[in-house]
Amino acid sequence: MIQVLTAKIVYYQMALHFSSACLCSLSQMRGQKIRAVAPESSVTVNSEEDKVKLGGSDLKVTKLGIGAWSWGDTSYWNNFEWDDKKLKAAKTAFDASIDCGITFIDTAEVYGSRFSFGAINSETLLGRFIKERKEKDPEVEVAVATKFAALPWRLGRQSVLAALKDSLARMELSSVDLYQLHWPGIWGNEGYIDGLGDAVEQGLVKAVGVSNYSEKRLRDAYEQLKRRGIPLASNQVNYSLIYRLPEQNGVKAVCDELGVTLIAYSPIAQGALTGKYTPENPPTGPRGQIYTPEFLTKLQPLINRIKEIGESYNKTSTQVVLNWLIAQENVVPIPGAKNAEQAKEFGGALGWRLTQQEIDQLRSLASELKPVTGFPVEKL
């Protein structure tokens, strides 16, 4: 039985948020080109104008967030091991993000699952990082998002509240800003949605959302919460330049129609869009089974064009592909940061915009590729 449970947890972890590199670096405009580009300084989010509301809720978050799946994980990331060096790197990633004003952090109860050998729960780490930061800077505000695992044996609205309270205990917080259903359940989804509404009414969360929800499920959840006067703030789905299923299956259109923010996980395709990996140097671990040398060979024309565009703006490839997502409107990307260097790169995706011609050209090049594998429950 334990082996079955372990397999399920690891499967959910491996299939979920393929977040990757983060940012916050210097951005300069090349004078010979007339474009809407970033000012000649690092982009720091420091005002309400740099934030967006999540759906119809009152919650405002930074236009970019951080996914914390890799923090403490040993089932997919970190070469299956977690140690003090990786812990310190994750802490510097958190601090660097806060320093440049990226204060929206997304985690989940199954990240760093206790069923994975040597793992440390991501929620526990995030809570620790926030506590240590507040000791130095009591005024710092972090918008925390976490998620409920819709495991088959969890039934009814009380299971949502119980799991949320466990998450709050791990993070040592009295409430969180956004609580999401991590994926649709095999059954009991109406009860789960009721649990989200209860959490809002009990003051345990500021806003609620879902994740990996199809067009129909999204509409149903929206209407169920609407009857209680509670807005559905977000739907978190796999969305990147080379994984545009939300555009093809109607999810993006419905989010825009209903005023539900689309939170994009895997926004740089687990690092595949950064130019870091090549056919001769593919990613290690489970990612290598998705981004194979064959796929990376076919990806190179797109990678080369992304790099060319980045050079014209004095931007990295990571910043270009994140800017492409932001340009789709009503999208908040949440790439993951393993270290400070990745986190510092984030801000360079803000404060400027690709031209429409560049946006269309990148989409056209990406359309020539066969889509990569996504999370199966998206098609439920």
Side-chain angles (χ1 to χ4, degrees):
M1 182 63 176
I2 292 297
Q3 290 179 331
V4 173
L5 298 185
T6 302
K8 287 180 178 178
I9 294 296
V10 171
Y11 168 76
Y12 287 132
Q13 287 182 298
M14 289 177 61
L16 295 171
H17 294 50
F18 307 130
S19 317
S20 12
C22 284
L23 14 268
C24 213
S25 69
L26 298 177
S27 45
Q28 299 179 339
M29 179 172 66
R30 292 192 173 184
Q32 68 271 24
K33 297 211 175 189
I34 300 175
R35 302 188 181 200
V37 297
E40 296 183 4
S41 61
S42 64
V43 178
T44 301
V45 179
N46 54 18
S47 72
E48 290 301 305
E49 294 180 0
D50 294 318
K51 296 183 178 182
V52 293
K53 288 181 65 175
L54 283 187
S57 73
D58 293 329
L59 176 61
K60 287 187 175 183
V61 301
T62 47
K63 294 179 181 179
L64 269 166
I66 286 183
W69 179 22
S70 68
W71 296 357
D73 178 69
T74 60
S75 66
Y76 193 89
W77 301 101
N78 305 308
N79 294 318
F80 307 109
E81 62 179 5
W82 186 255
D83 53 32
D84 287 343
K85 183 178 180 180
K86 293 184 176 70
L87 172 60
K88 291 177 181 177
K91 177 62 163 60
T92 63
F94 172 83
D95 284 330
S97 300
I98 302 302
D99 289 342
C100 63
I102 306 298
T103 57
F104 180 42
I105 315 290
D106 177 83
T107 184
E109 62 172 322
V110 296
Y111 294 168
S113 167
R114 64 183 180 276
F115 293 103
S116 299
F117 181 76
I120 298 179
N121 187 273
S122 175
E123 289 180 328
T124 300
L125 292 177
L126 177 57
R128 184 188 307 173
F129 296 164
I130 292 173
K131 182 178 181 180
E132 292 173 355
R133 182 72 184 217
K134 280 186 172 291
E135 290 175 354
K136 299 177 181 178
D137 182 7
E139 301 301 317
V140 69
E141 294 185 2
V142 180
V144 175
T146 192
K147 297 182 285 293
F148 166 84
L151 301 170
W153 53 87
R154 285 180 161 175
L155 302 174
R157 63 208 303 166
Q158 287 302 322
S159 66
V160 176
L161 291 173
L164 172 56
K165 290 175 182 178
D166 286 343
S167 290
L168 293 174
R170 281 188 289 272
M171 293 185 282
E172 298 186 52
L173 298 173
S174 59
S175 66
V176 292
D177 296 271
L178 177 67
Y179 196 52
Q180 307 151 94
L181 303 182
H182 208 153
W183 57 82
I186 298 175
W187 49 69
N189 284 284
E190 289 187 0
Y192 295 155
I193 299 298
D194 284 337
L196 291 182
D198 294 344
V200 172
E201 293 177 351
Q202 293 183 25
L204 298 176
V205 300
K206 293 180 181 178
V208 291
V210 292
S211 181
N212 298 299
Y213 265 48
S214 66
E215 174 187 1
K216 183 182 184 304
R217 287 184 179 276
L218 185 62
R219 289 187 184 278
D220 290 345
Y222 176 89
E223 292 297 331
Q224 187 174 339
L225 286 169
K226 183 180 178 181
R227 289 193 289 270
R228 296 176 66 172
I230 298 172
L232 179 64
S234 60
N235 184 20
Q236 185 175 147
V237 296
N238 188 350
Y239 187 29
S240 72
L241 182 57
I242 59 173
Y243 190 84
R244 300 183 308 284
L245 183 63
E247 298 176 356
Q248 299 156 5
N249 63 11
V251 166
K252 176 66 165 66
V254 172
C255 283
D256 294 344
E257 173 194 338
L258 300 179
V260 174
T261 299
L262 190 155
I263 299 176
Y265 71 79
S266 270
I268 52 180
Q270 303 177 59
L273 287 172
T274 67
K276 175 181 179 180
Y277 301 112
T278 65
E280 298 74 31
N281 179 40
T284 59
R287 288 181 296 161
Q289 300 175 26
I290 301 172
Y291 304 103
T292 62
E294 180 183 5
F295 178 83
L296 292 172
T297 297
K298 296 177 180 179
L299 184 64
Q300 288 312 297
L302 176 60
I303 293 296
N304 292 338
R305 184 56 186 143
I306 290 170
K307 184 178 179 181
E308 290 173 358
I309 291 174
E311 289 174 348
S312 72
Y313 288 104
N314 199 22
K315 296 292 181 180
T316 68
S317 295
T318 298
Q319 292 162 350
V320 170
V321 295
L322 288 172
N323 190 273
W324 185 91
L325 270 180
I326 295 170
Q328 306 310 308
E329 306 293 343
N330 193 37
V331 177
V332 176
I334 53 166
K338 289 185 178 180
N339 53 56
E341 289 70 27
Q342 291 178 343
K344 289 176 182 178
E345 198 180 357
F346 256 152
L350 300 172
W352 62 289
R353 182 185 171 95
L354 294 165
T355 68
Q356 191 59 49
Q357 181 180 6
E358 290 163 342
I359 292 169
D360 294 342
Q361 184 184 39
L362 291 177
R363 181 188 296 276
S364 178
L365 285 171
S367 297
E368 298 176 8
L369 294 165
K370 181 180 179 180
V372 296
T373 302
F375 188 31
V377 299
E378 294 173 307
K379 299 179 182 179
L380 285 177

